[in-house]
């Protein structure tokens, strides 16, 4: 029986050795295997330039006077007027791109001291570079004495206002 036990022990050792060699062989194969291929990283692309901001228009000044020139500018700026004067508002505008033509809406709202609207006028304009737009009010029988205001809006937003007086 010792011989049988010895043969079993040797057979077990042999099988164990083969199992270890087989496992070791698999580990070596795994170590020797080339690394898994991955796709190369995409070449960096140059970002597209950000789109240029759209050209914008702005009101840069509002001058009041009782006379206006061919350039739509008031001859002598004033804030005090006679009751029968024609009162002009010269609205200076500019655009961020002098070559762009920007469709806009300019509005002049003239009001008396208690907020009563005397006149309101809107104009659809195409603004390009620097320019002037003229608005005016007059009353042949004369404006009542008091304090007035003109509010200038660009595309629905009040951008400038001027107070004036009729004496």
């Amino acid at each position: 029986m010792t011989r049988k036990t010895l043969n079993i022990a040797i057979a077990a050792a042999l099988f164990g050795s083969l199992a270890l060699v087989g496992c070791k062989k698999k580990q070596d194969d795994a170590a020797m295997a080339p690394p898994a291929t991955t796709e190369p990283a995409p070449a960096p692309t140059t970002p597209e330039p950000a789109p240029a901001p759209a050209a914008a228009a702005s009101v840069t000044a509002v001058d009041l006077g009782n006379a206006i020139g061919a350039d739509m500018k008031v001859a002598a700026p004033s804030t005090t007027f006679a009751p029968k004067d024609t009162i002009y508002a010269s609205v200076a505008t500019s655009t961020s791109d002098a070559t762009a033509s920007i469709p806009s809406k300019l509005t002049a709202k003239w009001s008396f001291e208690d907020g009563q609207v005397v006149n309101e006028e809107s104009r659809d304009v195409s603004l390009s570079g620097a320019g002037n737009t003229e608005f005016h009010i007059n009353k042949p029988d004369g404006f009542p004495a008091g304090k007035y205001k003109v509010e200038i809006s660009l595309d629905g937003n009040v951008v400038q206002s001027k107070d004036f007086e009729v004496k």
Side-chain angles (χ1 to χ4, degrees):
M1 232 194 358
T2 26
R3 199 167 231 237
K4 192 173 188 182
T5 309
L6 184 60
N7 285 339
I8 292 176
I10 293 174
L14 183 61
F15 285 123
S17 296
L18 287 175
L20 282 175
V21 171
C23 286
K24 182 72 173 163
K25 178 98 171 136
K26 287 182 182 175
Q27 287 175 353
D28 287 345
D29 287 346
M32 296 299 286
T37 59
T38 58
E39 291 188 33
T45 59
T46 51
E48 290 189 32
S58 62
V59 171
T60 57
V62 176
D63 290 320
L64 300 176
N66 60 5
I68 197 161
D71 60 358
M72 304 290 181
K73 294 181 182 178
V74 295
S78 178
T79 57
T80 305
F81 300 93
K84 293 192 177 189
D85 279 349
T86 296
I87 304 168
Y88 293 92
S90 176
V91 180
T93 56
S94 69
T95 59
S96 59
D97 179 354
T99 62
S101 180
I102 303 170
S104 302
K105 180 176 281 216
L106 281 173
T107 302
K109 179 179 174 183
W110 306 82
S111 58
F112 190 52
E113 53 194 33
D114 62 357
Q116 175 186 352
V117 176
V118 174
N119 188 36
E120 186 170 359
E121 181 181 1
S122 293
R123 296 206 184 130
D124 291 321
V125 292
S126 185
L127 302 175
S128 181
N132 288 72
T133 303
E134 169 271 328
F135 293 94
H136 65 273
I137 57 172
N138 66 348
K139 188 170 183 186
D141 55 343
F143 289 107
K147 297 188 182 289
Y148 292 78
K149 178 195 278 190
V150 62
E151 291 180 328
I152 303 301
S153 299
L154 177 63
D155 296 326
N157 300 310
V158 176
V159 291
Q160 296 243 348
S161 66
K162 283 280 187 176
D163 294 322
F164 62 99
E165 190 171 5
V166 173
K167 291 185 178 182

Short mmCIF file of all heavy atoms in Angstrom, two decimals, residues 8-71:
data_model
loop_
_atom_site.label_atom_id
_atom_site.label_comp_id
_atom_site.label_asym_id
_atom_site.label_seq_id
_atom_site.Cartn_x
_atom_site.Cartn_y
_atom_site.Cartn_z
N ILE A 8 0.44 7.61 -6.00
CA ILE A 8 -0.61 8.64 -5.98
C ILE A 8 0.02 9.99 -5.66
O ILE A 8 -0.31 11.01 -6.26
CB ILE A 8 -1.71 8.28 -4.98
CG1 ILE A 8 -2.47 7.05 -5.49
CG2 ILE A 8 -2.67 9.44 -4.78
CD1 ILE A 8 -3.52 6.54 -4.57
N ALA A 9 0.97 9.99 -4.71
CA ALA A 9 1.62 11.23 -4.32
C ALA A 9 2.41 11.80 -5.49
O ALA A 9 2.40 13.00 -5.76
CB ALA A 9 2.52 11.02 -3.11
N ILE A 10 3.13 10.89 -6.20
CA ILE A 10 3.91 11.35 -7.35
C ILE A 10 2.99 11.85 -8.45
O ILE A 10 3.23 12.91 -9.06
CB ILE A 10 4.83 10.22 -7.87
CG1 ILE A 10 5.90 9.93 -6.82
CG2 ILE A 10 5.46 10.58 -9.19
CD1 ILE A 10 6.78 8.74 -7.14
N ALA A 11 1.89 11.14 -8.70
CA ALA A 11 0.93 11.56 -9.72
C ALA A 11 0.32 12.92 -9.35
O ALA A 11 0.16 13.81 -10.20
CB ALA A 11 -0.16 10.51 -9.90
N ALA A 12 -0.01 13.10 -8.08
CA ALA A 12 -0.59 14.35 -7.63
C ALA A 12 0.41 15.48 -7.81
O ALA A 12 0.07 16.59 -8.24
CB ALA A 12 -1.03 14.25 -6.17
N ALA A 13 1.68 15.21 -7.46
CA ALA A 13 2.72 16.21 -7.61
C ALA A 13 2.90 16.57 -9.08
O ALA A 13 3.10 17.74 -9.44
CB ALA A 13 4.03 15.72 -6.99
N LEU A 14 2.87 15.54 -9.93
CA LEU A 14 3.03 15.75 -11.36
C LEU A 14 1.88 16.61 -11.91
O LEU A 14 2.09 17.57 -12.64
CB LEU A 14 3.10 14.41 -12.10
CG LEU A 14 3.33 14.49 -13.60
CD1 LEU A 14 4.65 15.17 -13.92
CD2 LEU A 14 3.27 13.12 -14.21
N PHE A 15 0.66 16.27 -11.55
CA PHE A 15 -0.50 17.05 -12.00
C PHE A 15 -0.44 18.49 -11.45
O PHE A 15 -0.75 19.45 -12.16
CB PHE A 15 -1.82 16.40 -11.58
CG PHE A 15 -2.17 15.20 -12.40
CD1 PHE A 15 -2.37 13.96 -11.79
CD2 PHE A 15 -2.32 15.30 -13.78
CE1 PHE A 15 -2.71 12.86 -12.56
CE2 PHE A 15 -2.65 14.19 -14.52
CZ PHE A 15 -2.84 12.96 -13.91
N GLY A 16 -0.03 18.63 -10.20
CA GLY A 16 0.09 19.95 -9.60
C GLY A 16 1.14 20.78 -10.33
O GLY A 16 0.94 21.97 -10.58
N SER A 17 2.26 20.14 -10.67
CA SER A 17 3.32 20.85 -11.39
C SER A 17 2.85 21.27 -12.77
O SER A 17 3.12 22.39 -13.23
CB SER A 17 4.56 19.96 -11.55
OG SER A 17 5.10 19.66 -10.27
N LEU A 18 2.16 20.37 -13.43
CA LEU A 18 1.63 20.70 -14.75
C LEU A 18 0.63 21.87 -14.67
O LEU A 18 0.61 22.76 -15.53
CB LEU A 18 0.97 19.49 -15.40
CG LEU A 18 1.91 18.41 -15.90
CD1 LEU A 18 1.10 17.21 -16.40
CD2 LEU A 18 2.80 18.93 -16.99
N ALA A 19 -0.20 21.84 -13.63
CA ALA A 19 -1.18 22.91 -13.45
C ALA A 19 -0.47 24.23 -13.24
O ALA A 19 -0.84 25.26 -13.79
CB ALA A 19 -2.12 22.59 -12.30
N LEU A 20 0.59 24.23 -12.40
CA LEU A 20 1.33 25.46 -12.14
C LEU A 20 2.04 25.95 -13.39
O LEU A 20 2.05 27.14 -13.68
CB LEU A 20 2.35 25.24 -11.03
CG LEU A 20 1.78 25.22 -9.60
CD1 LEU A 20 2.88 24.86 -8.61
CD2 LEU A 20 1.16 26.54 -9.24
N VAL A 21 2.65 25.02 -14.12
CA VAL A 21 3.34 25.40 -15.34
C VAL A 21 2.34 25.95 -16.34
O VAL A 21 2.59 26.95 -17.01
CB VAL A 21 4.13 24.20 -15.92
CG1 VAL A 21 4.67 24.53 -17.30
CG2 VAL A 21 5.27 23.83 -14.99
N GLY A 22 1.18 25.33 -16.42
CA GLY A 22 0.14 25.80 -17.35
C GLY A 22 -0.32 27.20 -16.97
O GLY A 22 -0.50 28.06 -17.80
N CYS A 23 -0.53 27.45 -15.69
CA CYS A 23 -0.95 28.79 -15.24
C CYS A 23 0.16 29.79 -15.47
O CYS A 23 -0.07 30.90 -15.91
CB CYS A 23 -1.30 28.76 -13.75
SG CYS A 23 -2.87 27.95 -13.41
N LYS A 24 1.36 29.42 -15.15
CA LYS A 24 2.50 30.30 -15.35
C LYS A 24 2.65 30.62 -16.83
O LYS A 24 2.90 31.75 -17.19
CB LYS A 24 3.76 29.61 -14.80
CG LYS A 24 5.00 30.43 -14.90
CD LYS A 24 4.99 31.56 -13.92
CE LYS A 24 6.34 32.27 -13.93
NZ LYS A 24 6.32 33.54 -13.35
N LYS A 25 2.45 29.63 -17.66
CA LYS A 25 2.57 29.82 -19.09
C LYS A 25 1.55 30.84 -19.56
O LYS A 25 1.85 31.71 -20.35
CB LYS A 25 2.37 28.46 -19.79
CG LYS A 25 2.42 28.52 -21.28
CD LYS A 25 3.76 28.14 -21.76
CE LYS A 25 3.72 27.98 -23.26
NZ LYS A 25 4.83 28.59 -23.89
N LYS A 26 0.30 30.75 -19.01
CA LYS A 26 -0.74 31.68 -19.41
C LYS A 26 -0.38 33.10 -18.97
O LYS A 26 -0.60 34.05 -19.69
CB LYS A 26 -2.09 31.27 -18.84
CG LYS A 26 -2.68 30.06 -19.53
CD LYS A 26 -4.02 29.71 -18.98
CE LYS A 26 -4.54 28.46 -19.67
NZ LYS A 26 -5.78 27.98 -19.11
N GLN A 27 0.17 33.23 -17.76
CA GLN A 27 0.57 34.55 -17.30
C GLN A 27 1.67 35.11 -18.17
O GLN A 27 1.66 36.27 -18.52
CB GLN A 27 1.04 34.49 -15.84
CG GLN A 27 -0.09 34.28 -14.87
CD GLN A 27 0.42 34.10 -13.44
OE1 GLN A 27 1.62 34.01 -13.19
NE2 GLN A 27 -0.51 34.05 -12.51
N ASP A 28 2.65 34.29 -18.54
CA ASP A 28 3.74 34.74 -19.40
C ASP A 28 3.20 35.15 -20.75
O ASP A 28 3.63 36.15 -21.31
CB ASP A 28 4.79 33.63 -19.57
CG ASP A 28 5.61 33.43 -18.29
OD1 ASP A 28 5.57 34.31 -17.39
OD2 ASP A 28 6.28 32.40 -18.22
N ASP A 29 2.23 34.35 -21.27
CA ASP A 29 1.64 34.70 -22.56
C ASP A 29 0.93 36.06 -22.47
O ASP A 29 1.01 36.87 -23.38
CB ASP A 29 0.65 33.62 -23.02
CG ASP A 29 1.36 32.35 -23.48
OD1 ASP A 29 2.59 32.38 -23.70
OD2 ASP A 29 0.65 31.34 -23.63
N ALA A 30 0.26 36.26 -21.34
CA ALA A 30 -0.45 37.52 -21.19
C ALA A 30 0.55 38.67 -21.09
O ALA A 30 0.35 39.74 -21.64
CB ALA A 30 -1.34 37.49 -19.95
N ALA A 31 1.66 38.41 -20.41
CA ALA A 31 2.69 39.45 -20.27
C ALA A 31 3.36 39.72 -21.60
O ALA A 31 3.77 40.83 -21.87
CB ALA A 31 3.71 39.04 -19.22
N MET A 32 3.49 38.71 -22.43
CA MET A 32 4.17 38.86 -23.71
C MET A 32 3.24 39.38 -24.79
O MET A 32 3.70 39.81 -25.83
CB MET A 32 4.74 37.50 -24.16
CG MET A 32 5.82 36.95 -23.24
SD MET A 32 7.24 38.01 -23.11
CE MET A 32 8.01 37.72 -24.67
N ALA A 33 1.94 39.32 -24.55
CA ALA A 33 1.00 39.76 -25.57
C ALA A 33 1.16 41.28 -25.78
O ALA A 33 1.37 42.02 -24.84
CB ALA A 33 -0.43 39.45 -25.15
N PRO A 34 1.06 41.73 -27.01
CA PRO A 34 1.16 43.17 -27.25
C PRO A 34 -0.02 43.88 -26.60
O PRO A 34 -1.08 43.31 -26.46
CB PRO A 34 1.13 43.28 -28.76
CG PRO A 34 0.48 42.04 -29.24
CD PRO A 34 0.79 40.98 -28.21
N PRO A 35 0.19 45.10 -26.18
CA PRO A 35 -0.92 45.82 -25.55
C PRO A 35 -2.06 46.00 -26.56
O PRO A 35 -1.84 46.06 -27.76
CB PRO A 35 -0.32 47.16 -25.15
CG PRO A 35 0.91 47.29 -25.99
CD PRO A 35 1.37 45.90 -26.31
N ALA A 36 -3.25 46.08 -26.01
CA ALA A 36 -4.41 46.28 -26.88
C ALA A 36 -4.22 47.58 -27.64
O ALA A 36 -3.78 48.58 -27.10
CB ALA A 36 -5.69 46.34 -26.04
N THR A 37 -4.57 47.53 -28.92
CA THR A 37 -4.39 48.74 -29.72
C THR A 37 -5.55 49.68 -29.47
O THR A 37 -6.70 49.27 -29.34
CB THR A 37 -4.32 48.40 -31.22
OG1 THR A 37 -5.51 47.74 -31.59
CG2 THR A 37 -3.11 47.55 -31.53
N THR A 38 -5.24 50.95 -29.39
CA THR A 38 -6.28 51.97 -29.26
C THR A 38 -6.12 52.90 -30.44
O THR A 38 -5.04 53.05 -30.99
CB THR A 38 -6.11 52.78 -27.95
OG1 THR A 38 -4.82 53.37 -27.96
CG2 THR A 38 -6.27 51.91 -26.73
N GLU A 39 -7.21 53.53 -30.80
CA GLU A 39 -7.14 54.46 -31.92
C GLU A 39 -6.33 55.67 -31.48
O GLU A 39 -6.41 56.11 -30.34
CB GLU A 39 -8.55 54.90 -32.31
CG GLU A 39 -9.35 53.78 -32.93
CD GLU A 39 -10.67 54.28 -33.49
OE1 GLU A 39 -10.72 55.43 -33.95
OE2 GLU A 39 -11.62 53.51 -33.45
N PRO A 40 -5.52 56.17 -32.38
CA PRO A 40 -4.74 57.34 -32.00
C PRO A 40 -5.68 58.52 -31.68
O PRO A 40 -6.77 58.62 -32.22
CB PRO A 40 -3.89 57.64 -33.23
CG PRO A 40 -4.58 56.95 -34.36
CD PRO A 40 -5.34 55.79 -33.75
N ALA A 41 -5.23 59.35 -30.80
CA ALA A 41 -6.03 60.53 -30.44
C ALA A 41 -6.20 61.38 -31.70
O ALA A 41 -5.28 61.53 -32.49
CB ALA A 41 -5.33 61.34 -29.36
N PRO A 42 -7.40 61.92 -31.88
CA PRO A 42 -7.60 62.75 -33.07
C PRO A 42 -6.66 63.96 -33.02
O PRO A 42 -6.37 64.49 -31.96
CB PRO A 42 -9.06 63.17 -33.00
CG PRO A 42 -9.48 62.94 -31.59
CD PRO A 42 -8.56 61.88 -31.03
N ALA A 43 -6.22 64.32 -34.18
CA ALA A 43 -5.33 65.48 -34.28
C ALA A 43 -6.10 66.70 -33.79
O ALA A 43 -7.28 66.86 -34.07
CB ALA A 43 -4.88 65.67 -35.71
N PRO A 44 -5.44 67.58 -33.05
CA PRO A 44 -6.16 68.77 -32.58
C PRO A 44 -6.61 69.61 -33.76
O PRO A 44 -5.89 69.80 -34.72
CB PRO A 44 -5.13 69.52 -31.73
CG PRO A 44 -3.80 68.92 -32.07
CD PRO A 44 -4.06 67.56 -32.67
N THR A 45 -7.84 70.05 -33.66
CA THR A 45 -8.38 70.89 -34.73
C THR A 45 -8.29 72.35 -34.29
O THR A 45 -8.41 72.65 -33.10
CB THR A 45 -9.84 70.54 -35.03
OG1 THR A 45 -10.60 70.72 -33.83
CG2 THR A 45 -9.98 69.11 -35.52
N THR A 46 -8.09 73.18 -35.23
CA THR A 46 -8.06 74.60 -34.88
C THR A 46 -9.50 75.04 -34.69
O THR A 46 -10.35 74.76 -35.53
CB THR A 46 -7.39 75.45 -35.98
OG1 THR A 46 -8.01 75.12 -37.23
CG2 THR A 46 -5.91 75.19 -36.06
N PRO A 47 -9.78 75.70 -33.57
CA PRO A 47 -11.16 76.12 -33.35
C PRO A 47 -11.57 77.17 -34.38
O PRO A 47 -10.75 77.97 -34.80
CB PRO A 47 -11.13 76.72 -31.94
CG PRO A 47 -9.71 77.06 -31.68
CD PRO A 47 -8.88 76.12 -32.53
N GLU A 48 -12.82 77.09 -34.74
CA GLU A 48 -13.33 78.08 -35.69
C GLU A 48 -13.39 79.42 -34.97
O GLU A 48 -13.73 79.48 -33.79
CB GLU A 48 -14.72 77.68 -36.18
CG GLU A 48 -14.68 76.46 -37.08
CD GLU A 48 -16.02 76.21 -37.74
OE1 GLU A 48 -16.75 77.18 -38.01
OE2 GLU A 48 -16.31 75.04 -37.98
N PRO A 49 -13.05 80.47 -35.65
CA PRO A 49 -13.11 81.77 -34.97
C PRO A 49 -14.54 82.08 -34.57
O PRO A 49 -15.48 81.71 -35.26
CB PRO A 49 -12.59 82.75 -36.02
CG PRO A 49 -12.69 82.03 -37.32
CD PRO A 49 -12.65 80.56 -37.02
N ALA A 50 -14.67 82.75 -33.45
CA ALA A 50 -16.01 83.15 -33.00
C ALA A 50 -16.59 84.10 -34.03
O ALA A 50 -15.87 84.90 -34.61
CB ALA A 50 -15.91 83.84 -31.64
N PRO A 51 -17.89 84.00 -34.26
CA PRO A 51 -18.48 84.91 -35.24
C PRO A 51 -18.32 86.34 -34.75
O PRO A 51 -18.37 86.62 -33.56
CB PRO A 51 -19.95 84.50 -35.29
CG PRO A 51 -20.18 83.70 -34.05
CD PRO A 51 -18.86 83.13 -33.64
N ALA A 52 -18.12 87.21 -35.68
CA ALA A 52 -17.97 88.63 -35.34
C ALA A 52 -19.27 89.12 -34.74
O ALA A 52 -20.35 88.73 -35.18
CB ALA A 52 -17.63 89.44 -36.59
N PRO A 53 -19.19 89.94 -33.70
CA PRO A 53 -20.44 90.45 -33.13
C PRO A 53 -21.19 91.28 -34.17
O PRO A 53 -20.59 91.93 -35.00
CB PRO A 53 -19.99 91.31 -31.96
CG PRO A 53 -18.53 91.56 -32.17
CD PRO A 53 -18.02 90.49 -33.08
N ALA A 54 -22.49 91.19 -34.09
CA ALA A 54 -23.31 91.95 -35.04
C ALA A 54 -23.08 93.43 -34.81
O ALA A 54 -22.85 93.88 -33.70
CB ALA A 54 -24.79 91.61 -34.83
N ALA A 55 -23.11 94.17 -35.88
CA ALA A 55 -22.93 95.62 -35.77
C ALA A 55 -24.08 96.19 -34.94
O ALA A 55 -25.21 95.73 -35.01
CB ALA A 55 -22.91 96.25 -37.16
N ALA A 56 -23.75 97.19 -34.15
CA ALA A 56 -24.75 97.79 -33.27
C ALA A 56 -24.84 99.29 -33.54
O ALA A 56 -23.87 99.91 -33.97
CB ALA A 56 -24.39 97.55 -31.82
N ALA A 57 -26.00 99.84 -33.25
CA ALA A 57 -26.22 101.28 -33.39
C ALA A 57 -26.44 101.88 -32.01
O ALA A 57 -26.92 101.21 -31.10
CB ALA A 57 -27.45 101.53 -34.27
N SER A 58 -26.05 103.14 -31.86
CA SER A 58 -26.27 103.82 -30.59
C SER A 58 -26.57 105.29 -30.83
O SER A 58 -26.20 105.86 -31.85
CB SER A 58 -25.04 103.67 -29.68
OG SER A 58 -23.91 104.26 -30.28
N VAL A 59 -27.24 105.88 -29.84
CA VAL A 59 -27.49 107.32 -29.85
C VAL A 59 -26.38 107.93 -29.02
O VAL A 59 -26.18 107.56 -27.86
CB VAL A 59 -28.88 107.64 -29.25
CG1 VAL A 59 -29.05 109.14 -29.05
CG2 VAL A 59 -29.98 107.10 -30.16
N THR A 60 -25.62 108.83 -29.62
CA THR A 60 -24.47 109.40 -28.92
C THR A 60 -24.75 110.77 -28.31
O THR A 60 -24.08 111.17 -27.36
CB THR A 60 -23.26 109.51 -29.87
OG1 THR A 60 -23.63 110.28 -31.01
CG2 THR A 60 -22.83 108.13 -30.34
N ALA A 61 -25.75 111.50 -28.81
CA ALA A 61 -26.07 112.82 -28.25
C ALA A 61 -27.44 113.27 -28.74
O ALA A 61 -27.91 112.82 -29.79
CB ALA A 61 -25.02 113.85 -28.66
N VAL A 62 -28.04 114.16 -27.96
CA VAL A 62 -29.28 114.82 -28.36
C VAL A 62 -29.11 116.29 -28.05
O VAL A 62 -28.78 116.67 -26.92
CB VAL A 62 -30.50 114.26 -27.58
CG1 VAL A 62 -31.76 115.03 -27.94
CG2 VAL A 62 -30.68 112.77 -27.86
N ASP A 63 -29.29 117.13 -29.07
CA ASP A 63 -29.21 118.57 -28.90
C ASP A 63 -30.55 119.19 -29.27
O ASP A 63 -31.18 118.77 -30.25
CB ASP A 63 -28.11 119.18 -29.78
CG ASP A 63 -26.71 118.81 -29.30
OD1 ASP A 63 -26.49 118.81 -28.07
OD2 ASP A 63 -25.85 118.53 -30.15
N LEU A 64 -30.95 120.20 -28.50
CA LEU A 64 -32.19 120.92 -28.77
C LEU A 64 -31.87 122.33 -29.25
O LEU A 64 -30.87 122.92 -28.83
CB LEU A 64 -33.04 121.01 -27.49
CG LEU A 64 -33.47 119.69 -26.86
CD1 LEU A 64 -34.23 119.95 -25.56
CD2 LEU A 64 -34.31 118.88 -27.82
N GLY A 65 -32.71 122.84 -30.12
CA GLY A 65 -32.52 124.21 -30.62
C GLY A 65 -33.75 124.65 -31.38
O GLY A 65 -34.67 123.87 -31.62
N ASN A 66 -33.76 125.93 -31.80
CA ASN A 66 -34.92 126.43 -32.54
C ASN A 66 -34.62 126.62 -34.03
O ASN A 66 -35.42 127.18 -34.76
CB ASN A 66 -35.46 127.73 -31.92
CG ASN A 66 -34.43 128.84 -31.92
OD1 ASN A 66 -33.34 128.69 -32.46
ND2 ASN A 66 -34.78 129.96 -31.30
N ALA A 67 -33.47 126.13 -34.49
CA ALA A 67 -33.13 126.14 -35.92
C ALA A 67 -32.23 124.93 -36.18
O ALA A 67 -31.48 124.48 -35.31
CB ALA A 67 -32.42 127.43 -36.30
N ILE A 68 -32.33 124.43 -37.41
CA ILE A 68 -31.54 123.24 -37.77
C ILE A 68 -30.94 123.44 -39.16
O ILE A 68 -31.56 124.08 -40.02
CB ILE A 68 -32.42 121.98 -37.70
CG1 ILE A 68 -31.57 120.74 -37.65
CG2 ILE A 68 -33.41 121.92 -38.82
CD1 ILE A 68 -32.30 119.52 -37.13
N GLY A 69 -29.75 122.91 -39.35
CA GLY A 69 -29.08 123.03 -40.64
C GLY A 69 -29.37 121.84 -41.55
O GLY A 69 -30.04 120.88 -41.17
N ALA A 70 -28.82 121.90 -42.76
CA ALA A 70 -29.01 120.82 -43.74
C ALA A 70 -28.40 119.51 -43.25
O ALA A 70 -28.84 118.43 -43.66
CB ALA A 70 -28.39 121.22 -45.08
N ASP A 71 -27.42 119.59 -42.34
CA ASP A 71 -26.78 118.39 -41.79
C ASP A 71 -27.58 117.78 -40.64
O ASP A 71 -27.14 116.85 -39.99
CB ASP A 71 -25.36 118.71 -41.34
CG ASP A 71 -25.30 119.78 -40.26
OD1 ASP A 71 -26.37 120.33 -39.88
OD2 ASP A 71 -24.18 120.09 -39.80
#
